[in-house]
């Protein structure tokens, strides 16, 4: 049973405790304008806030930092990004996963540059009309970039609120209740700092496994701490086990070192990304679908990779072909310009695994 607001504190108590804590302990993040700089009059750049929020979906701050630096060095404004080639952006994104985000990133940049004169809308509703911006991201950008009192809900916030109010309903059923709590607690004064304070609290103190309640700025308000169940919350409905899909990837190396790659269809998993030609990925044993009629070497190796909804076991087939060989599909990329790092992670794993297993090595 949820305790709702029986914790006995007023709606503004969490913000009153969190904002002074944030002023002292805000994480330094490359896209963030910290409390001191804000007080000195600096304002967040909506482009950087938006880019960071898209990159952070399903990914950690540690994984995003380098990508963020590379993107902003190469494309410092939304207009610059809008003018980039699709393939360049997809290649820079490689390794971050969830590639639909990269395609929507470009679409969104082009809408902001083309329809809004390079200026992001400054309201939640306006932001939600842009490609790739859902309710969470719109709220986060509205709060962080424009200091709007938007209720920002991510995994960190859900965890903090579940504990603060000892919400025992498991996620995802508890989401509406948590959202209602978030809306009530969001202050009109410094809502952007408040949103980031809750995120920071979840990331640094109210962590999933062992919350550091002894140094928590809202410890005196927290129902889960009082009842000793903090580490058990939020409860979660058990997930169904993921199925396993099987596939074959065909790696071809030409005598001059060029490699055969194929751009995947825009729709679907890894859409628009470069990869090795291959079969469909399904739960049944895959039917051979080689991109060239040449002798194929089976090195007995397979890549294992986990996507959001399934595990993949990708068997490798390798071939070494003469320089005049013509593929049925895909294109040869010269070795000098082929960057394994510009492939999605599963394809890079296949390349790494193939090294030392080529038939002629
Ligand atoms: S007191 Fe503990 S459980 Fe409660 S919000 Fe703080 S860190 Fe989280």
């Amino acid at each position: 049973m949820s305790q709702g607001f029986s914790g006995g504190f007023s709606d503004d108590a969490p913000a009153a405790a969190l904002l002074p804590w944030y002023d002292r302990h805000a994480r330094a993040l490359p896209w963030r304008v910290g409390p001191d700089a804000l007080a000195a009059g600096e304002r967040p750049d909506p482009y950087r806030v938006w880019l960071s929020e898209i990159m952070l979906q399903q990914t950690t701050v540690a994984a995003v930092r380098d990508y963020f630096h590379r993107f902003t060095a190469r494309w410092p404004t939304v207009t610059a990004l809008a003018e980039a080639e699709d393939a360049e952006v997809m290649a820079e994104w490689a390794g971050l996963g969830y590639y639909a985000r990269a395609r929507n990133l470009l679409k969104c940049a082009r809408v902001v540059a083309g329809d809004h004169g390079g200026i992001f809308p400054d309201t939640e509703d306006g932001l939600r009309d842009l490609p790739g911006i859902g309710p969470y991201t719109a709220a986060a950008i509205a709060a962080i970039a424009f200091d709007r009192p938007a209720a920002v809900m991510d995994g960190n916030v859900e965890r903090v609120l579940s504990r603060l109010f000892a919400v025992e309903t498991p996620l995802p059923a508890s989401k509406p209740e948590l959202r209602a709590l978030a809306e009530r607690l969001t202050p009109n004064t410094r809502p952007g700092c408040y949103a980031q304070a809750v995120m920071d609290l979840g990331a640094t103190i109210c962590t999933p496994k062992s919350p550091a309640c002894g140094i928590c700025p809202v410890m005196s308000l927290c129902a889960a701490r009082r009842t000793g169940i903090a580490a058990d919350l939020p409860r979660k409905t058990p997930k169904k086990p993921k199925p396993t899909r099987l596939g074959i990837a065909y790696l071809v190396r030409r005598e001059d070192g060029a490699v055969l790659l194929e751009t995947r269809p825009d729709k679907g998993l890894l859409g628009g990304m470069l990869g090795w030609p291959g079969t469909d990925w399904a739960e049944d044993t895959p039917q051979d679908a080689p991109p060239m009629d040449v002798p194929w070497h089976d090195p007995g190796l397979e890549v294992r990779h986990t996507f959001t909804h399934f595990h993949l076991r990708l068997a490798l087939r390798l071939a070494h072909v003469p320089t005049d060989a013509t593929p049925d599909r895909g294109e040869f990329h010269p070795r000098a310009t082929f960057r394994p790092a510009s492939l999605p992670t599963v394809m890079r794993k296949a390349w790494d695994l193939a090294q030392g297993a080529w038939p002629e090595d």
Side-chain angles (χ1 to χ4, degrees):
M1 279 281 291
S2 156
Q3 295 190 359
F5 278 83
S6 63
F9 55 82
S10 64
D11 290 351
D12 53 12
L18 279 168
L19 286 169
W21 172 79
Y22 180 74
D23 288 341
R24 285 194 306 279
H25 299 290
R27 285 178 295 170
L29 300 173
W31 45 84
R32 175 177 282 176
V33 174
D36 291 344
L38 268 183
E42 199 180 323
R43 288 294 165 258
D45 175 354
Y47 168 63
R48 292 167 70 88
V49 173
W50 162 75
L51 184 61
S52 69
E53 286 299 333
I54 303 293
M55 286 184 166
L56 283 166
Q57 288 166 9
Q58 318 277 348
T59 318
T60 62
V61 166
V64 161
R65 272 180 203 274
D66 286 353
Y67 283 89
F68 182 82
H69 285 305
R70 279 208 308 274
F71 264 72
T72 49
R74 193 163 175 184
W75 301 296
T77 63
V78 70
T79 312
L81 181 62
E83 288 167 0
E85 296 287 335
D86 290 36
E88 289 175 336
V89 173
M90 299 310 275
E92 280 295 3
W93 191 274
L96 256 185
Y98 301 92
Y99 296 97
R101 290 183 298 161
R103 292 196 300 280
N104 279 328
L105 187 84
L106 259 178
K107 268 192 215 157
C108 183
R110 288 170 184 160
V111 170
V112 172
D115 300 352
H116 298 271
I119 296 168
F120 278 86
D122 64 0
T123 63
E124 237 178 310
D125 285 348
L127 288 159
R128 274 187 74 162
D129 285 342
L130 296 172
I133 299 192
Y136 163 74
T137 309
I141 301 171
I144 298 170
F146 301 112
D147 211 23
R148 301 271 182 197
V152 182
M153 298 299 295
D154 69 355
N156 281 328
V157 178
E158 285 174 353
R159 185 170 59 255
V160 169
L161 293 179
S162 297
R163 290 172 174 172
L164 202 49
F165 294 95
V167 174
E168 296 213 40
T169 311
L171 282 167
S174 57
K175 279 178 185 273
E177 182 178 355
L178 296 175
R179 162 157 287 281
L181 291 170
E183 282 169 4
R184 284 187 65 168
L185 298 191
T186 298
N188 285 316
T189 307
R190 300 183 64 196
C193 288
Y194 169 79
Q196 294 174 91
V198 184
M199 291 175 183
D200 279 17
L201 186 74
T204 61
I205 290 184
C206 195
T207 53
K209 293 213 173 86
S210 38
C213 302
I215 55 166
C216 176
V218 290
M219 64 193 272
S220 64
L221 310 175
C222 182
R225 175 177 174 269
R226 256 195 318 277
T227 47
I229 57 169
D232 302 329
L233 299 182
R235 300 199 196 284
K236 292 187 179 159
T237 306
K239 288 187 183 144
K240 283 195 207 140
K242 290 180 186 183
T244 296
R245 293 190 193 168
L246 307 172
I248 302 173
Y250 299 91
L251 280 68
V252 183
R253 202 165 70 172
R254 214 166 55 180
E255 240 165 25
D256 62 358
V259 293
L260 183 65
L261 292 166
E262 188 172 60
T263 303
R264 297 177 62 86
D266 269 351
K267 292 251 179 279
L269 206 65
L270 312 183
M273 298 297 292
L274 271 183
W276 310 108
T279 62
D280 287 341
W281 301 340
E283 288 176 46
D284 302 327
T285 307
Q287 295 293 316
D288 256 330
M292 298 181 77
D293 186 12
V294 293
W296 289 97
H297 169 60
D298 176 356
L301 299 171
E302 65 179 26
V303 173
R304 300 205 171 202
H305 190 76
T306 296
F307 291 97
T308 320
H309 300 298
F310 63 94
H311 301 292
L312 176 67
R313 288 169 48 196
L314 192 61
L316 302 191
R317 299 286 184 272
L318 309 178
H320 189 67
V321 301
T323 309
D324 59 358
T326 313
D328 297 335
R329 55 183 218 265
E331 280 182 353
F332 278 105
H333 289 240
R335 185 66 187 89
T337 54
F338 167 56
R339 283 172 52 223
S342 67
L343 299 176
T345 305
V346 64
M347 300 295 174
R348 190 175 37 71
K349 282 186 185 173
W351 171 256
D352 291 345
L353 200 58
Q355 305 318 305
W358 291 98
E360 78 287 8
D361 285 348

